[in-house]
Amino acid sequence: MTKPAWEPHARKLADQVAHPASRWHGPLTTTPRHVFVPCWWARGKQEWELSDGPTDPDTWMRAAYCDRTLVTRIGALHADHAAPHQAADGLPTSSSTLPSLVVQMYRHALIGDAHEVLDVATGSGYGAALLCRRLPERQVTTVDIDRYLTDAAAQRLDRVGLHPRVEARDATGPLPGTYDRIVSMVSVSPLPASWLAALRPGGRLVTTLARTSVIVVADKTDDGGAVGMTARDWAGFMATRDSDDYPPSLYTQLGDQVHEPGEHVSTGRYPVLRVDDAWELRSMLEFTVPGTESAYQEGPDGQRTAWLVHPDGSWARACAHHFDNPTVHQTGPRRLWDALERIRTRLNTAGGLPVYGVPLTITPDGTVHLKRGNWAATIGR
């Protein structure tokens, strides 16, 4: 019998992502990722452009078996529902995560043969498929807030002969059982108390914190909380949402205010940067001033502008040409740019930031306490 055309592509992907001796090499080799992502959004010059796999099989195979994330939903519009040649504008709200990161999160969980695993954020269903290739499918549960995503994933899992428990539900609320491992492919803040309640004694939780690149790896303790550390590597996931799309950013909500003169004007010490792309700085800013959002623009003349905005109404705007020292406008009860510059100074003087490899404890209500030496931070309610 002739092998399906996808198998050589899957084997090449498996060789790239996992060592041949890894328990994840087999699942990667035998899971047809293209089945889970028939359509996706590719970033164009100004908008997201639709890619339809069945109409271009060669591109489909290359994209599906490349170690990269395939965005499947922009705002409320899933690629499966888009018209031919339709474009989309907005933020990604679902995707098929790059396989190496999926496997990385599962490795942090130390999944054993007898473990029952909850996969948070079903997405395309590819991650659940890998779990079902690794474990008996009865030990795998996957949940997502979006019913279309869970219905489509269940159908595609069935198409390849896999039948885990698939449920549409808000994973930040009550969960449908108890588990030895909970692995989240979506970022959270605060950490849901329901996850700790659903974690069995000695169970392990792996997730990322919203607005950071920090992976939390923690084992449940007798008091109902957990203890662990931030991993010594990093990841970035979309944040949880409770509707079809994310609410408008704080930057958008403040409107023209963020373009006006600030209450406090100064000259910044460091060049303007795109904060969200500076993962270590971005994580430390969240630890220092939780809830801060950022925005960035760069003009054709080299003018770079960055904004920081906080839910309490504080905002900061830094503007400069190229790498000049910026003019900084700040308003509100917090001096957000000053906080960022203190972090940058610490990075320059200490050579690093307490972001990765940091011991942590989690209380039963989901509050995360991080502490290294004299430094401490709290992410929670």
Side-chain angles (χ1 to χ4, degrees), residues 41-334:
W41 295 106
R43 190 63 169 162
K45 291 183 178 179
Q46 293 183 336
E47 296 178 307
W48 294 90
E49 300 172 352
L50 181 65
S51 296
D52 186 333
T55 65
D56 188 351
D58 289 341
T59 297
W60 193 11
M61 291 299 106
R62 286 195 300 271
Y65 297 99
C66 180
D67 187 30
R68 67 183 178 95
T69 293
L70 298 177
V71 173
T72 54
R73 198 170 183 270
I74 299 295
L77 181 59
H78 197 287
D80 292 352
H81 302 146
H85 309 297
Q86 184 174 357
D89 186 26
L91 294 175
T93 50
S94 190
S95 68
S96 177
T97 302
L98 68 157
S100 62
L101 181 52
V102 175
V103 171
Q104 174 186 343
M105 297 293 282
Y106 292 158
R107 283 172 172 157
H108 281 305
L110 298 180
I111 296 171
D113 294 347
H115 288 150
E116 293 189 33
V117 180
L118 175 66
D119 169 54
V120 178
T122 306
S124 70
Y126 177 70
L130 292 178
L131 284 172
C132 289
R133 297 294 195 199
R134 168 71 180 82
L135 300 169
E137 58 189 24
R138 67 179 181 278
Q139 295 171 210
V140 178
T141 299
T142 182
V143 297
D144 201 295
I145 194 171
D146 189 316
R147 181 165 295 279
Y148 174 72
L149 294 179
T150 54
D151 287 349
Q155 292 170 12
R156 289 160 184 168
L157 286 159
D158 177 71
R159 197 177 306 165
V160 299
L162 301 174
H163 305 91
R165 183 177 182 179
V166 183
E167 287 202 12
R169 65 169 59 225
D170 182 350
T172 64
L175 296 175
T178 59
Y179 310 93
D180 302 295
R181 299 291 186 267
I182 297 177
V183 184
S184 175
M185 303 293 174
V186 66
S187 66
V188 293
S189 183
L191 196 149
S194 61
W195 293 9
L196 293 164
L199 200 60
R200 292 172 181 161
R204 172 163 286 199
L205 167 69
V206 180
T207 188
T208 54
L209 297 176
R211 295 176 296 276
T212 79
S213 55
V214 167
I215 303 171
V216 169
V217 181
D219 299 320
K220 189 165 183 177
T221 49
D222 292 340
D223 65 356
V227 62
M229 68 188 307
T230 63
R232 293 188 182 275
D233 57 12
W234 47 87
F237 286 103
M238 299 172 196
T240 54
R241 54 184 171 84
D242 56 14
S243 60
D244 284 344
D245 199 357
Y246 295 112
S249 67
L250 296 174
Y251 167 80
T252 301
Q253 292 178 45
L254 286 178
D256 292 339
Q257 291 183 51
V258 296
H259 302 281
E260 296 172 354
E263 297 171 350
H264 178 78
V265 182
S266 62
T267 300
R269 182 175 183 180
Y270 302 106
V272 176
L273 82 165
R274 189 190 299 266
V275 176
D276 283 346
D277 286 351
W279 282 18
E280 192 173 3
L281 286 174
R282 185 67 186 88
S283 299
M284 192 66 177
L285 180 62
E286 178 64 15
F287 293 159
T288 306
V289 194
T292 302
E293 296 181 9
S294 71
Y296 178 86
Q297 290 180 0
E298 187 167 343
D301 61 351
Q303 179 165 288
R304 299 146 61 97
T305 306
W307 290 266
L308 298 175
V309 188
H310 192 269
D312 68 5
S314 301
W315 60 265
R317 182 181 71 251
C319 184
H321 280 83
H322 301 292
F323 301 106
D324 295 342
N325 294 90
T327 298
V328 180
H329 292 257
Q330 301 185 84
T331 289
R334 302 174 192 261

